[in-house]
Amino acid sequence: MQQTMPAHPLATSSAPTCPGPIEKMVKPSWKVPANACDSHAHVCGPADKYPYWQGRIYTPPDALVSDYRRLLDALGIERGVV
């Protein structure tokens, strides 16, 4: 028997959206150290393939692995943890 999680107390019927990936990445003015590692990332979606829970308190836009790799490349970061 599958259990469902109760809705979050702050959830609304129309969960607001949050900002998505930045379209145009800008390289930093300083060089990232060799072997730098990003230790926090959000990869979401695509929503049509992985629908979100109805009780959520916000709706993330699609933020795909390709978006994350584009961010790492723009920043000059060699490694990341998802």
mmCIF file of all heavy atoms in Angstrom, residues 1-50:
data_model
loop_
_atom_site.group_PDB
_atom_site.id
_atom_site.type_symbol
_atom_site.label_atom_id
_atom_site.label_comp_id
_atom_site.label_asym_id
_atom_site.label_seq_id
_atom_site.Cartn_x
_atom_site.Cartn_y
_atom_site.Cartn_z
ATOM 1 N N MET A 1 0.845 -1.182 0.000
ATOM 2 C CA MET A 1 0.000 0.000 0.000
ATOM 3 C C MET A 1 0.884 1.237 0.000
ATOM 4 O O MET A 1 1.718 1.416 0.877
ATOM 5 C CB MET A 1 -0.905 -0.032 1.233
ATOM 6 C CG MET A 1 -1.804 1.141 1.362
ATOM 7 S SD MET A 1 -2.866 0.907 2.795
ATOM 8 C CE MET A 1 -3.914 2.271 2.582
ATOM 9 N N GLN A 2 0.700 2.102 -0.976
ATOM 10 C CA GLN A 2 1.518 3.306 -1.092
ATOM 11 C C GLN A 2 0.989 4.393 -0.182
ATOM 12 O O GLN A 2 -0.194 4.671 -0.145
ATOM 13 C CB GLN A 2 1.513 3.803 -2.534
ATOM 14 C CG GLN A 2 2.410 4.980 -2.750
ATOM 15 C CD GLN A 2 2.424 5.415 -4.209
ATOM 16 O OE1 GLN A 2 1.779 4.818 -5.044
ATOM 17 N NE2 GLN A 2 3.168 6.455 -4.493
ATOM 18 N N GLN A 3 1.893 4.988 0.599
ATOM 19 C CA GLN A 3 1.508 6.080 1.484
ATOM 20 C C GLN A 3 1.748 7.402 0.777
ATOM 21 O O GLN A 3 2.674 7.533 -0.004
ATOM 22 C CB GLN A 3 2.323 6.049 2.778
ATOM 23 C CG GLN A 3 2.032 4.849 3.637
ATOM 24 C CD GLN A 3 2.824 4.903 4.930
ATOM 25 O OE1 GLN A 3 3.797 5.620 5.036
ATOM 26 N NE2 GLN A 3 2.397 4.135 5.902
ATOM 27 N N THR A 4 0.898 8.375 1.050
ATOM 28 C CA THR A 4 1.105 9.711 0.494
ATOM 29 C C THR A 4 1.490 10.657 1.610
ATOM 30 O O THR A 4 1.025 10.522 2.742
ATOM 31 C CB THR A 4 -0.169 10.239 -0.205
ATOM 32 O OG1 THR A 4 -1.230 10.249 0.747
ATOM 33 C CG2 THR A 4 -0.549 9.358 -1.376
ATOM 34 N N MET A 5 2.349 11.600 1.266
ATOM 35 C CA MET A 5 2.779 12.583 2.254
ATOM 36 C C MET A 5 1.679 13.627 2.423
ATOM 37 O O MET A 5 1.030 14.008 1.454
ATOM 38 C CB MET A 5 4.066 13.277 1.794
ATOM 39 C CG MET A 5 5.261 12.377 1.727
ATOM 40 S SD MET A 5 6.737 13.242 1.122
ATOM 41 C CE MET A 5 6.905 14.545 2.319
ATOM 42 N N PRO A 6 1.480 14.114 3.637
ATOM 43 C CA PRO A 6 0.499 15.197 3.825
ATOM 44 C C PRO A 6 1.026 16.479 3.184
ATOM 45 O O PRO A 6 2.228 16.667 3.039
ATOM 46 C CB PRO A 6 0.405 15.330 5.342
ATOM 47 C CG PRO A 6 1.691 14.793 5.848
ATOM 48 C CD PRO A 6 2.126 13.733 4.874
ATOM 49 N N ALA A 7 0.132 17.337 2.776
ATOM 50 C CA ALA A 7 0.534 18.612 2.188
ATOM 51 C C ALA A 7 1.285 19.447 3.214
ATOM 52 O O ALA A 7 0.986 19.416 4.397
ATOM 53 C CB ALA A 7 -0.685 19.367 1.688
ATOM 54 N N HIS A 8 2.269 20.183 2.757
ATOM 55 C CA HIS A 8 3.007 21.104 3.611
ATOM 56 C C HIS A 8 2.038 22.180 4.089
ATOM 57 O O HIS A 8 1.170 22.615 3.329
ATOM 58 C CB HIS A 8 4.165 21.715 2.819
ATOM 59 C CG HIS A 8 5.098 22.514 3.657
ATOM 60 N ND1 HIS A 8 4.803 23.786 4.069
ATOM 61 C CD2 HIS A 8 6.310 22.210 4.161
ATOM 62 C CE1 HIS A 8 5.810 24.243 4.793
ATOM 63 N NE2 HIS A 8 6.727 23.312 4.853
ATOM 64 N N PRO A 9 2.145 22.630 5.340
ATOM 65 C CA PRO A 9 1.197 23.627 5.852
ATOM 66 C C PRO A 9 1.201 24.942 5.077
ATOM 67 O O PRO A 9 0.224 25.680 5.109
ATOM 68 C CB PRO A 9 1.630 23.849 7.304
ATOM 69 C CG PRO A 9 2.944 23.183 7.463
ATOM 70 C CD PRO A 9 3.109 22.212 6.343
ATOM 71 N N LEU A 10 2.265 25.241 4.351
ATOM 72 C CA LEU A 10 2.319 26.478 3.580
ATOM 73 C C LEU A 10 1.932 26.277 2.112
ATOM 74 O O LEU A 10 1.934 27.220 1.338
ATOM 75 C CB LEU A 10 3.723 27.089 3.645
ATOM 76 C CG LEU A 10 4.200 27.496 5.031
ATOM 77 C CD1 LEU A 10 5.625 28.024 4.960
ATOM 78 C CD2 LEU A 10 3.281 28.521 5.653
ATOM 79 N N ALA A 11 1.583 25.043 1.738
ATOM 80 C CA ALA A 11 1.238 24.768 0.349
ATOM 81 C C ALA A 11 -0.054 25.482 -0.042
ATOM 82 O O ALA A 11 -0.952 25.658 0.767
ATOM 83 C CB ALA A 11 1.083 23.268 0.143
ATOM 84 N N THR A 12 -0.111 25.906 -1.285
ATOM 85 C CA THR A 12 -1.315 26.532 -1.808
ATOM 86 C C THR A 12 -1.744 25.780 -3.057
ATOM 87 O O THR A 12 -0.981 25.005 -3.616
ATOM 88 C CB THR A 12 -1.067 28.012 -2.176
ATOM 89 O OG1 THR A 12 -0.102 28.049 -3.220
ATOM 90 C CG2 THR A 12 -0.579 28.810 -0.984
ATOM 91 N N SER A 13 -2.969 26.014 -3.500
ATOM 92 C CA SER A 13 -3.446 25.314 -4.691
ATOM 93 C C SER A 13 -2.683 25.759 -5.939
ATOM 94 O O SER A 13 -2.594 25.033 -6.908
ATOM 95 C CB SER A 13 -4.942 25.534 -4.878
ATOM 96 O OG SER A 13 -5.215 26.909 -4.997
ATOM 97 N N SER A 14 -2.151 26.951 -5.931
ATOM 98 C CA SER A 14 -1.332 27.407 -7.057
ATOM 99 C C SER A 14 0.055 27.760 -6.523
ATOM 100 O O SER A 14 0.320 28.884 -6.151
ATOM 101 C CB SER A 14 -1.971 28.605 -7.752
ATOM 102 O OG SER A 14 -2.119 29.672 -6.846
ATOM 103 N N ALA A 15 0.913 26.756 -6.464
ATOM 104 C CA ALA A 15 2.259 26.948 -5.928
ATOM 105 C C ALA A 15 3.021 27.932 -6.813
ATOM 106 O O ALA A 15 3.092 27.749 -8.020
ATOM 107 C CB ALA A 15 2.993 25.613 -5.873
ATOM 108 N N PRO A 16 3.569 29.001 -6.232
ATOM 109 C CA PRO A 16 4.301 29.987 -7.048
ATOM 110 C C PRO A 16 5.553 29.372 -7.657
ATOM 111 O O PRO A 16 6.088 28.397 -7.147
ATOM 112 C CB PRO A 16 4.663 31.085 -6.045
ATOM 113 C CG PRO A 16 4.680 30.394 -4.731
ATOM 114 C CD PRO A 16 3.642 29.310 -4.815
ATOM 115 N N THR A 17 6.002 29.942 -8.746
ATOM 116 C CA THR A 17 7.233 29.465 -9.377
ATOM 117 C C THR A 17 8.426 30.215 -8.804
ATOM 118 O O THR A 17 8.292 31.296 -8.242
ATOM 119 C CB THR A 17 7.200 29.673 -10.904
ATOM 120 O OG1 THR A 17 7.015 31.056 -11.168
ATOM 121 C CG2 THR A 17 6.092 28.869 -11.552
ATOM 122 N N CYS A 18 9.578 29.621 -8.927
ATOM 123 C CA CYS A 18 10.809 30.273 -8.492
ATOM 124 C C CYS A 18 11.660 30.512 -9.732
ATOM 125 O O CYS A 18 11.403 29.940 -10.789
ATOM 126 C CB CYS A 18 11.540 29.425 -7.450
ATOM 127 S SG CYS A 18 12.041 27.805 -8.029
ATOM 128 N N PRO A 19 12.686 31.348 -9.636
ATOM 129 C CA PRO A 19 13.522 31.645 -10.811
ATOM 130 C C PRO A 19 14.192 30.392 -11.364
ATOM 131 O O PRO A 19 14.538 29.480 -10.614
ATOM 132 C CB PRO A 19 14.568 32.611 -10.275
ATOM 133 C CG PRO A 19 13.997 33.163 -9.026
ATOM 134 C CD PRO A 19 13.104 32.098 -8.467
ATOM 135 N N GLY A 20 14.379 30.362 -12.659
ATOM 136 C CA GLY A 20 15.021 29.231 -13.317
ATOM 137 C C GLY A 20 16.477 29.506 -13.616
ATOM 138 O O GLY A 20 17.031 30.520 -13.170
ATOM 139 N N PRO A 21 17.088 28.624 -14.390
ATOM 140 C CA PRO A 21 18.499 28.810 -14.744
ATOM 141 C C PRO A 21 18.720 30.117 -15.503
ATOM 142 O O PRO A 21 17.875 30.548 -16.281
ATOM 143 C CB PRO A 21 18.796 27.613 -15.651
ATOM 144 C CG PRO A 21 17.730 26.616 -15.346
ATOM 145 C CD PRO A 21 16.528 27.403 -14.949
ATOM 146 N N ILE A 22 19.854 30.729 -15.276
ATOM 147 C CA ILE A 22 20.224 31.958 -15.979
ATOM 148 C C ILE A 22 20.576 31.585 -17.412
ATOM 149 O O ILE A 22 21.365 30.672 -17.652
ATOM 150 C CB ILE A 22 21.419 32.642 -15.278
ATOM 151 C CG1 ILE A 22 21.022 33.057 -13.872
ATOM 152 C CG2 ILE A 22 21.917 33.833 -16.085
ATOM 153 C CD1 ILE A 22 22.184 33.517 -13.019
ATOM 154 N N GLU A 23 19.971 32.280 -18.360
ATOM 155 C CA GLU A 23 20.184 31.957 -19.769
ATOM 156 C C GLU A 23 21.596 32.293 -20.239
ATOM 157 O O GLU A 23 22.237 31.505 -20.905
ATOM 158 C CB GLU A 23 19.166 32.698 -20.635
ATOM 159 C CG GLU A 23 17.763 32.167 -20.501
ATOM 160 C CD GLU A 23 17.619 30.707 -20.909
ATOM 161 O OE1 GLU A 23 18.212 30.315 -21.931
ATOM 162 O OE2 GLU A 23 16.927 29.965 -20.198
ATOM 163 N N LYS A 24 22.087 33.489 -19.919
ATOM 164 C CA LYS A 24 23.408 33.902 -20.393
ATOM 165 C C LYS A 24 24.376 33.905 -19.211
ATOM 166 O O LYS A 24 24.303 34.759 -18.339
ATOM 167 C CB LYS A 24 23.339 35.288 -21.018
ATOM 168 C CG LYS A 24 24.653 35.722 -21.619
ATOM 169 C CD LYS A 24 24.480 36.996 -22.405
ATOM 170 C CE LYS A 24 25.644 37.472 -23.088
ATOM 171 N NZ LYS A 24 26.849 37.543 -23.021
ATOM 172 N N MET A 25 25.249 32.938 -19.193
ATOM 173 C CA MET A 25 26.234 32.836 -18.132
ATOM 174 C C MET A 25 27.388 33.797 -18.403
ATOM 175 O O MET A 25 27.761 34.022 -19.556
ATOM 176 C CB MET A 25 26.795 31.420 -18.051
ATOM 177 C CG MET A 25 25.762 30.361 -17.811
ATOM 178 S SD MET A 25 25.077 30.544 -16.167
ATOM 179 C CE MET A 25 23.757 29.365 -16.273
ATOM 180 N N VAL A 26 27.936 34.359 -17.348
ATOM 181 C CA VAL A 26 29.064 35.281 -17.462
ATOM 182 C C VAL A 26 30.230 34.710 -16.663
ATOM 183 O O VAL A 26 30.070 34.374 -15.485
ATOM 184 C CB VAL A 26 28.687 36.681 -16.929
ATOM 185 C CG1 VAL A 26 29.868 37.615 -17.001
ATOM 186 C CG2 VAL A 26 27.499 37.235 -17.686
ATOM 187 N N LYS A 27 31.367 34.581 -17.312
ATOM 188 C CA LYS A 27 32.557 34.075 -16.612
ATOM 189 C C LYS A 27 32.947 35.045 -15.510
ATOM 190 O O LYS A 27 32.864 36.250 -15.692
ATOM 191 C CB LYS A 27 33.724 33.901 -17.572
ATOM 192 C CG LYS A 27 33.622 32.692 -18.443
ATOM 193 C CD LYS A 27 34.958 32.436 -19.141
ATOM 194 C CE LYS A 27 34.884 31.173 -19.951
ATOM 195 N NZ LYS A 27 35.301 30.005 -19.231
ATOM 196 N N PRO A 28 33.362 34.537 -14.354
ATOM 197 C CA PRO A 28 33.824 35.430 -13.292
ATOM 198 C C PRO A 28 35.106 36.143 -13.717
ATOM 199 O O PRO A 28 35.833 35.674 -14.599
ATOM 200 C CB PRO A 28 34.074 34.489 -12.107
ATOM 201 C CG PRO A 28 34.177 33.130 -12.683
ATOM 202 C CD PRO A 28 33.436 33.132 -13.978
ATOM 203 N N SER A 29 35.381 37.263 -13.085
ATOM 204 C CA SER A 29 36.584 38.036 -13.426
ATOM 205 C C SER A 29 37.842 37.412 -12.832
ATOM 206 O O SER A 29 38.944 37.818 -13.156
ATOM 207 C CB SER A 29 36.431 39.473 -12.926
ATOM 208 O OG SER A 29 36.263 39.474 -11.524
ATOM 209 N N TRP A 30 37.683 36.432 -11.985
ATOM 210 C CA TRP A 30 38.826 35.760 -11.364
ATOM 211 C C TRP A 30 38.823 34.293 -11.771
ATOM 212 O O TRP A 30 37.806 33.745 -12.164
ATOM 213 C CB TRP A 30 38.768 35.898 -9.843
ATOM 214 C CG TRP A 30 37.404 35.586 -9.288
ATOM 215 C CD1 TRP A 30 36.354 36.441 -9.187
ATOM 216 C CD2 TRP A 30 36.936 34.326 -8.822
ATOM 217 N NE1 TRP A 30 35.255 35.782 -8.683
ATOM 218 C CE2 TRP A 30 35.588 34.484 -8.442
ATOM 219 C CE3 TRP A 30 37.521 33.069 -8.675
ATOM 220 C CZ2 TRP A 30 34.828 33.445 -7.932
ATOM 221 C CZ3 TRP A 30 36.755 32.038 -8.167
ATOM 222 C CH2 TRP A 30 35.431 32.241 -7.789
ATOM 223 N N LYS A 31 39.984 33.663 -11.712
ATOM 224 C CA LYS A 31 40.112 32.259 -12.109
ATOM 225 C C LYS A 31 39.738 31.348 -10.941
ATOM 226 O O LYS A 31 40.234 31.508 -9.833
ATOM 227 C CB LYS A 31 41.541 31.974 -12.567
ATOM 228 C CG LYS A 31 41.721 30.577 -13.119
ATOM 229 C CD LYS A 31 43.107 30.415 -13.719
ATOM 230 C CE LYS A 31 43.440 28.994 -14.012
ATOM 231 N NZ LYS A 31 42.904 28.423 -15.174
ATOM 232 N N VAL A 32 38.881 30.397 -11.237
ATOM 233 C CA VAL A 32 38.475 29.406 -10.236
ATOM 234 C C VAL A 32 39.667 28.478 -9.989
ATOM 235 O O VAL A 32 40.352 28.083 -10.944
ATOM 236 C CB VAL A 32 37.252 28.611 -10.743
ATOM 237 C CG1 VAL A 32 36.895 27.493 -9.799
ATOM 238 C CG2 VAL A 32 36.066 29.541 -10.932
ATOM 239 N N PRO A 33 39.937 28.114 -8.734
ATOM 240 C CA PRO A 33 41.073 27.219 -8.457
ATOM 241 C C PRO A 33 40.945 25.881 -9.188
ATOM 242 O O PRO A 33 39.837 25.394 -9.416
ATOM 243 C CB PRO A 33 41.001 27.003 -6.940
ATOM 244 C CG PRO A 33 40.199 28.145 -6.422
ATOM 245 C CD PRO A 33 39.247 28.520 -7.513
ATOM 246 N N ALA A 34 42.075 25.297 -9.541
ATOM 247 C CA ALA A 34 42.084 23.985 -10.187
ATOM 248 C C ALA A 34 41.366 22.967 -9.310
ATOM 249 O O ALA A 34 41.446 23.028 -8.076
ATOM 250 C CB ALA A 34 43.522 23.539 -10.440
ATOM 251 N N ASN A 35 40.654 22.068 -9.922
ATOM 252 C CA ASN A 35 39.904 21.008 -9.240
ATOM 253 C C ASN A 35 38.784 21.525 -8.345
ATOM 254 O O ASN A 35 38.336 20.823 -7.448
ATOM 255 C CB ASN A 35 40.829 20.090 -8.446
ATOM 256 C CG ASN A 35 41.800 19.353 -9.329
ATOM 257 O OD1 ASN A 35 41.397 18.807 -10.351
ATOM 258 N ND2 ASN A 35 43.064 19.361 -8.963
ATOM 259 N N ALA A 36 38.333 22.755 -8.591
ATOM 260 C CA ALA A 36 37.208 23.279 -7.808
ATOM 261 C C ALA A 36 36.006 22.360 -7.989
ATOM 262 O O ALA A 36 35.822 21.734 -9.030
ATOM 263 C CB ALA A 36 36.872 24.694 -8.262
ATOM 264 N N CYS A 37 35.175 22.283 -6.955
ATOM 265 C CA CYS A 37 34.020 21.396 -6.986
ATOM 266 C C CYS A 37 32.798 22.135 -6.444
ATOM 267 O O CYS A 37 32.829 22.640 -5.323
ATOM 268 C CB CYS A 37 34.299 20.152 -6.144
ATOM 269 S SG CYS A 37 32.949 18.962 -6.147
ATOM 270 N N ASP A 38 31.749 22.218 -7.240
ATOM 271 C CA ASP A 38 30.487 22.784 -6.780
ATOM 272 C C ASP A 38 29.806 21.708 -5.941
ATOM 273 O O ASP A 38 29.612 20.584 -6.401
ATOM 274 C CB ASP A 38 29.616 23.160 -7.985
ATOM 275 C CG ASP A 38 28.249 23.670 -7.572
ATOM 276 O OD1 ASP A 38 28.097 24.134 -6.431
ATOM 277 O OD2 ASP A 38 27.328 23.599 -8.407
ATOM 278 N N SER A 39 29.460 22.034 -4.724
ATOM 279 C CA SER A 39 28.917 21.012 -3.824
ATOM 280 C C SER A 39 27.416 21.122 -3.601
ATOM 281 O O SER A 39 26.874 20.485 -2.707
ATOM 282 C CB SER A 39 29.640 21.082 -2.470
ATOM 283 O OG SER A 39 29.393 22.342 -1.860
ATOM 284 N N HIS A 40 26.737 21.923 -4.421
ATOM 285 C CA HIS A 40 25.290 22.036 -4.245
ATOM 286 C C HIS A 40 24.650 22.407 -5.579
ATOM 287 O O HIS A 40 25.028 23.389 -6.197
ATOM 288 C CB HIS A 40 24.958 23.112 -3.205
ATOM 289 C CG HIS A 40 23.500 23.224 -2.923
ATOM 290 N ND1 HIS A 40 22.936 22.664 -1.814
ATOM 291 C CD2 HIS A 40 22.502 23.802 -3.612
ATOM 292 C CE1 HIS A 40 21.634 22.919 -1.821
ATOM 293 N NE2 HIS A 40 21.347 23.609 -2.915
ATOM 294 N N ALA A 41 23.695 21.604 -6.010
ATOM 295 C CA ALA A 41 23.008 21.888 -7.270
ATOM 296 C C ALA A 41 21.583 21.365 -7.197
ATOM 297 O O ALA A 41 21.293 20.409 -6.481
ATOM 298 C CB ALA A 41 23.734 21.240 -8.432
ATOM 299 N N HIS A 42 20.704 22.015 -7.933
ATOM 300 C CA HIS A 42 19.330 21.552 -8.084
ATOM 301 C C HIS A 42 19.136 21.182 -9.544
ATOM 302 O O HIS A 42 19.349 22.009 -10.432
ATOM 303 C CB HIS A 42 18.332 22.648 -7.704
ATOM 304 C CG HIS A 42 18.354 22.980 -6.256
ATOM 305 N ND1 HIS A 42 17.307 22.688 -5.424
ATOM 306 C CD2 HIS A 42 19.301 23.557 -5.488
ATOM 307 C CE1 HIS A 42 17.605 23.096 -4.198
ATOM 308 N NE2 HIS A 42 18.818 23.625 -4.211
ATOM 309 N N VAL A 43 18.768 19.951 -9.802
ATOM 310 C CA VAL A 43 18.437 19.492 -11.146
ATOM 311 C C VAL A 43 16.975 19.065 -11.078
ATOM 312 O O VAL A 43 16.619 18.176 -10.303
ATOM 313 C CB VAL A 43 19.348 18.333 -11.591
ATOM 314 C CG1 VAL A 43 18.914 17.784 -12.934
ATOM 315 C CG2 VAL A 43 20.802 18.796 -11.633
ATOM 316 N N CYS A 44 16.127 19.721 -11.862
ATOM 317 C CA CYS A 44 14.681 19.485 -11.804
ATOM 318 C C CYS A 44 14.129 19.261 -13.202
ATOM 319 O O CYS A 44 14.460 19.993 -14.127
ATOM 320 C CB CYS A 44 13.964 20.694 -11.209
ATOM 321 S SG CYS A 44 14.550 21.205 -9.601
ATOM 322 N N GLY A 45 13.258 18.274 -13.314
ATOM 323 C CA GLY A 45 12.520 18.079 -14.549
ATOM 324 C C GLY A 45 13.218 17.174 -15.538
ATOM 325 O O GLY A 45 14.201 16.526 -15.217
ATOM 326 N N PRO A 46 12.628 17.148 -16.715
ATOM 327 C CA PRO A 46 11.539 17.997 -17.178
ATOM 328 C C PRO A 46 10.214 17.638 -16.497
ATOM 329 O O PRO A 46 9.917 16.471 -16.255
ATOM 330 C CB PRO A 46 11.481 17.747 -18.680
ATOM 331 C CG PRO A 46 12.099 16.402 -18.870
ATOM 332 C CD PRO A 46 13.096 16.227 -17.764
ATOM 333 N N ALA A 47 9.443 18.656 -16.184
ATOM 334 C CA ALA A 47 8.204 18.480 -15.417
ATOM 335 C C ALA A 47 7.195 17.587 -16.125
ATOM 336 O O ALA A 47 6.433 16.886 -15.464
ATOM 337 C CB ALA A 47 7.593 19.840 -15.104
ATOM 338 N N ASP A 48 7.199 17.589 -17.447
ATOM 339 C CA ASP A 48 6.239 16.734 -18.146
ATOM 340 C C ASP A 48 6.589 15.246 -18.027
ATOM 341 O O ASP A 48 5.739 14.383 -18.164
ATOM 342 C CB ASP A 48 6.087 17.136 -19.611
ATOM 343 C CG ASP A 48 7.387 17.059 -20.401
ATOM 344 O OD1 ASP A 48 8.467 16.938 -19.788
ATOM 345 O OD2 ASP A 48 7.302 17.132 -21.634
ATOM 346 N N LYS A 49 7.848 14.953 -17.710
ATOM 347 C CA LYS A 49 8.279 13.566 -17.514
ATOM 348 C C LYS A 49 8.301 13.190 -16.033
ATOM 349 O O LYS A 49 8.034 12.054 -15.673
ATOM 350 C CB LYS A 49 9.667 13.373 -18.123
ATOM 351 C CG LYS A 49 10.148 11.947 -18.097
ATOM 352 C CD LYS A 49 11.454 11.779 -18.848
ATOM 353 C CE LYS A 49 11.903 10.340 -18.820
ATOM 354 N NZ LYS A 49 13.170 10.150 -19.528
ATOM 355 N N TYR A 50 8.630 14.155 -15.175
ATOM 356 C CA TYR A 50 8.715 13.929 -13.734
ATOM 357 C C TYR A 50 7.795 14.933 -13.032
ATOM 358 O O TYR A 50 8.249 15.990 -12.596
ATOM 359 C CB TYR A 50 10.161 14.109 -13.241
ATOM 360 C CG TYR A 50 11.144 13.224 -13.955
ATOM 361 C CD1 TYR A 50 11.983 13.729 -14.946
ATOM 362 C CD2 TYR A 50 11.224 11.870 -13.654
ATOM 363 C CE1 TYR A 50 12.886 12.914 -15.607
ATOM 364 C CE2 TYR A 50 12.120 11.041 -14.319
ATOM 365 C CZ TYR A 50 12.949 11.565 -15.291
ATOM 366 O OH TYR A 50 13.831 10.762 -15.940
#
